[in-house]
Structure formats: C-alpha cells, structure tokens
Amino acid sequence: MTSGIVAALRRIGRKVWMRAALYTAASVIFALAAGVIATLFPFRIAVDLGQDSVGTILQIIASSMLTVTTFSLTAMVTAYSSATTTATPRATQLLIEDRTSQNALSTFVGGFTFSLVGIIALSTGYYGEQGRTILFFGTLVMIAVIVVTLLRWIAHLSTFGRMADVIDRLESAASGTLTTHAESPALGGRSYSDLPRGLTEISGDASGYVTFVDLPLVERVAARCEVELYVTSMPGETVDPRTPLVAATGSIDDEARESLTRAFRIQPHRDFEQDPRLGVIALAEIGSRALSPATNDPGTAIEVIAALRRVFDTALACTPDEEVSFEHVFVRPVGLSELVTDAFRPLARDGAGIVEVQIRLQKCLASLAACDPTRAPVFRSMADHAYERARDALDTWDVADLERVYRARNA
C-alpha cells in the first residue's frame, strides 16, 4: 500500500461523517443481532419486561438522542465560529478533527439509529421472546455508553474552542509537522539547494496549494524512466497550470507525466499534514490578531510566543535522519530562516509598540539561539530585526528597558 493511499485513508478516517457512518452501521448491526443471537442459544432466556418496557425505553432514547445530536451540532458549529473570529480560521480544521466531539456526535447518532431500528423491528415482530430479552440488555448497554459519552462531552465543552484550547491544538500540530521536518527535511529524498539547468519541467493542471507529495510514487516513476527527479513545489506552496511541480534530468513519457501529477495533491486550502510552515503561521496569526488595536490582548500574544518557543525547542532537539529512502528524488527543504520569519516577524511587527511583548520576544529568541550555536545566527538576526522595529515604535522609557534585555543577550 503506497503512502498516498495510506494518507488518503488517514484523511478519510479524520472526517466526522466517516466516524458517524461507522457508529451508525455498528448500531444497526447491534440492534438486529439480538434476533439472530436469540436463535443460537441452546437454552431459553426470557425476562418479564412488563408492558413492553423495551419499546418504551427505545422511544425515549430516540426522541432524546435527536435533541442531544442537534445540541451537539450547534455547540460544535459555535466553537468553529468562535475559533475563526477570535483566533484564526486555520485552526478550524483541527477543531473539526477533534476526536472527542466526533465520538460524541457519532455516539448520539448511533444511539438514535439503534433505537429507531429496534422500534421498527419490534413493530414487525422480528424479535421473539428471547430476542426481546437480549434487546433489553443491549439497550441497557447502549444507555450506559450514551451516559458516559454525554458526561465526557459536557466536560469537553468547557474548554472546546476556547483560546487556550486553540493555541494548544495549533502548538501540537505545529510541533508534530516541524518535528517530522527536522527529522527528515527532504522527506526521505536527497536535499538540493540550486536547481540544475536543462531539466524537463512537469506541471499539473490545477491551481491551489500543494498539500501532499507522494514521494514513493515519484521514486517509482524516476526508477522506471531511469531519470532523477527534482521536486520544485513543496507542501504549502501555491501552484497553477504554469508552475512546475517536478523537473526531470531526462525525457518523460506521457504515462510518467500523469503519474507524477497524481503524486501531488493540490487543494484550495493548506493542510497541516506535510506543511511545516502552516502551524507556526497559524500561531503567529493568533498573536497578530491579539495585538490589533481592536483586540488589544498582549497576554495572548505572550502565550503564543511561549508556544512557539516550545515548538522550536522540540524541533531543534531532533537529530536529522541521514538515511536516503528515495535515491532518485531530490527535494529542497524548507529553511530554518523561513520558519523563524513566519513565526516571529508578525509578532515583531504588530507588537513593536508594546514593550512587554518585545521583551518576551527577545528572551524567547535568545533562549532558542542558545539551544544550537550553529543555528544561533538565524535567531539573532530575527532578534535584531525585532529590536530595530521596537526602538522606532516605543517611547524612551520602554526603549531603555528593552535595550537592557537586548544587550544582555549579546553580553
């Protein structure tokens, strides 16, 4: 199974409709299984349920689960809207993929389906006396599952979609993609900095963002055609039908061209899966919005700086894997300077007039510079950039405070 198929299955598994569909199918099977299981027992199981209590319970579940499902959808949509307006729209996809909310919604839909199927089966005489007893105990199990899920969902709603929750989710996503990038900057291929001349360029037929590159497929095409392939459009970059996706050192037939274009997934919006820059960009967007005059929330910007520091700390601690898995594929990795610029330049620009933010930014960059002396110039350059911006925007007293922190870093 290729990495492209695995990635597609992983993406489908994160969709809320897929989880809800699986829970619904399981609920239908669970409800109908009572009638089948009853015929398999060599002995008789029957309990006096009294006045068709199973049907009454199922009707209560059906009506209540429909209401709870509607409430859950409203709560989820409200959380998505809140994250979009107060944090950044880039965080919405992480909230949509939240497993707790997906499990809660899927359980409620499954409970509704279970009760509906049970009521229909009861009305048609599908269950015998033993089947009704088994259905009764199955209904008790379903009630227990629903109650536990509902309690977890209520506890989850207290933080779901709040600013701290959004920052934590983006930090986790950024840390994951940046750590993967630090461990394998070239995605298993060979690194290159400058593109050789005289290459055959292959373009796609769609416009948008590259969100995934299937390197194993690119390697197979390169090996079959006996060429070397240079990936020129990495995840996170915008492309159109005139933008080359990959360049070859030799001739490429039509079948190979079609395979190479399939190796690049192009979508209207960026995705966190292979894009190491999106996470830090989204965090920086939260900080920039918090520093706008309309919001005026420097505390959130300081939290973002702390989150970015943890993200880069984790990435800088990783040791790059020198093993090359794709001998015929060359990839130009995203540079550390690009990542640092994406993360800290918006905060340096929009927080230039707030001394508390600038002091925290200087301390953060000094700490990151101390992590790895070989990469320290990148962080020191950004610290110089932030200091120059702040010096022009702050008053005399604040400049003096910031300068003491800035000079201490260079001491």
Side-chain angles (χ1 to χ4, degrees):
M1 187 177 293
T2 65
S3 63
I5 296 176
V6 173
L9 293 175
R10 191 184 300 117
R11 288 194 304 275
I12 293 175
R14 292 197 295 262
K15 302 294 184 181
V16 63
W17 63 264
M18 173 56 70
R19 195 176 294 263
L22 291 175
Y23 277 57
T24 300
S27 298
V28 173
I29 295 172
F30 188 39
L32 296 178
V36 177
I37 294 173
T39 62
L40 302 179
F41 285 118
F43 49 87
R44 184 173 178 273
I45 299 177
V47 177
D48 184 11
L49 303 177
Q51 300 299 319
D52 194 22
S53 60
V54 178
T56 303
I57 295 172
L58 290 175
Q59 289 176 0
I60 295 173
I61 294 176
S63 60
S64 60
M65 284 302 98
L66 190 58
T67 303
V68 172
T69 301
T70 304
F71 160 75
S72 299
L73 282 172
T74 303
M76 291 166 65
V77 172
T78 301
Y80 304 156
S81 177
S82 176
T84 300
T85 55
T86 61
T88 171
R90 258 57 62 188
T92 306
Q93 60 180 286
L94 298 179
L95 294 176
I96 293 174
E97 295 173 359
D98 176 63
R99 290 188 177 183
T100 301
S101 59
Q102 287 188 358
N103 287 337
L105 183 63
S106 301
T107 300
F108 301 149
V109 172
F112 173 75
T113 306
F114 170 82
S115 58
L116 204 61
V117 172
I119 292 171
I120 294 173
L122 282 172
S123 64
T124 59
Y126 172 75
Y127 301 109
E129 189 175 3
Q130 287 200 127
R132 293 164 67 87
T133 302
I134 295 173
L135 177 65
F136 174 75
F137 289 113
T139 302
L140 295 181
V141 173
M142 180 60 71
I143 291 173
V145 172
I146 290 172
V147 170
V148 171
T149 303
L150 185 58
L151 292 174
R152 290 186 61 195
W153 178 227
I154 292 173
H156 189 63
L157 283 178
S158 63
T159 58
F160 186 57
R162 304 298 188 269
M163 181 63 75
D165 180 50
V166 173
I167 292 176
D168 290 342
R169 290 176 188 273
L170 284 172
E171 179 185 343
S172 178
S175 183
T177 54
L178 205 58
T179 298
T180 301
H181 171 73
E183 292 174 346
S184 182
L187 302 177
R190 297 181 181 273
S191 299
Y192 79 93
S193 54
D194 297 317
L195 198 65
R197 296 184 177 182
L199 300 181
T200 303
E201 296 181 343
I202 296 93
S203 302
D205 54 2
S207 298
Y209 289 97
V210 177
T211 58
F212 182 81
V213 181
D214 188 352
L215 266 294
L217 177 55
V218 177
E219 170 66 20
R220 289 196 299 272
V221 173
R224 181 174 65 82
C225 297
E226 298 182 348
V227 296
E228 292 179 341
L229 295 174
Y230 289 77
V231 177
T232 56
S233 296
M234 292 295 291
E237 298 182 10
T238 55
V239 296
D240 56 49
R242 295 166 297 280
T243 305
L245 300 175
V246 65
T249 55
S251 60
I252 295 290
D253 56 39
D254 292 339
E255 181 182 355
R257 285 177 178 270
E258 183 178 353
S259 298
L260 288 174
T261 55
R262 287 202 313 270
F264 291 78
R265 188 174 78 237
I266 301 174
Q267 294 181 319
H269 308 287
R270 298 176 76 166
D271 187 88
F272 289 93
E273 188 172 357
Q274 276 190 341
D275 189 350
R277 299 174 63 181
L278 181 58
V280 296
I281 288 174
L283 283 170
E285 286 178 345
I286 295 178
S288 291
R289 176 170 288 184
L291 292 170
S292 66
T295 305
N296 191 25
D297 182 15
T300 295
I302 291 173
E303 286 190 26
V304 167
I305 292 173
L308 287 169
R309 175 180 173 179
R310 291 190 294 268
V311 168
F312 279 97
D313 270 337
T314 303
L316 291 173
C318 295
T319 302
D321 187 1
E322 302 296 338
E323 182 180 357
V324 177
S325 302
F326 311 113
E327 296 285 342
H328 304 86
V329 181
F330 290 79
V331 175
R332 180 164 50 199
V334 177
L336 179 61
S337 60
E338 296 176 84
L339 293 167
V340 172
T341 299
D342 290 335
F344 297 109
R345 183 171 61 184
L347 297 167
R349 178 191 63 232
D350 298 326
I354 303 176
V355 65
E356 294 84 3
V357 173
Q358 292 303 314
I359 288 176
R360 183 60 61 92
L361 185 58
Q362 289 293 331
K363 291 180 178 180
C364 170
L365 293 169
S367 174
L368 293 174
C371 290
D372 187 348
T374 62
R375 300 173 181 174
V378 176
F379 297 104
R380 289 173 180 162
S381 176
M382 178 53 61
D384 295 339
H385 171 82
Y387 174 72
E388 294 298 326
R389 281 183 177 272
R391 190 173 60 178
D392 295 335
L394 295 172
D395 59 34
T396 305
W397 294 101
D398 290 339
V399 169
D401 291 338
L402 178 62
E403 186 172 2
R404 281 194 293 270
V405 177
Y406 177 75
R407 298 303 177 192
R409 184 209 70 183
N410 295 318

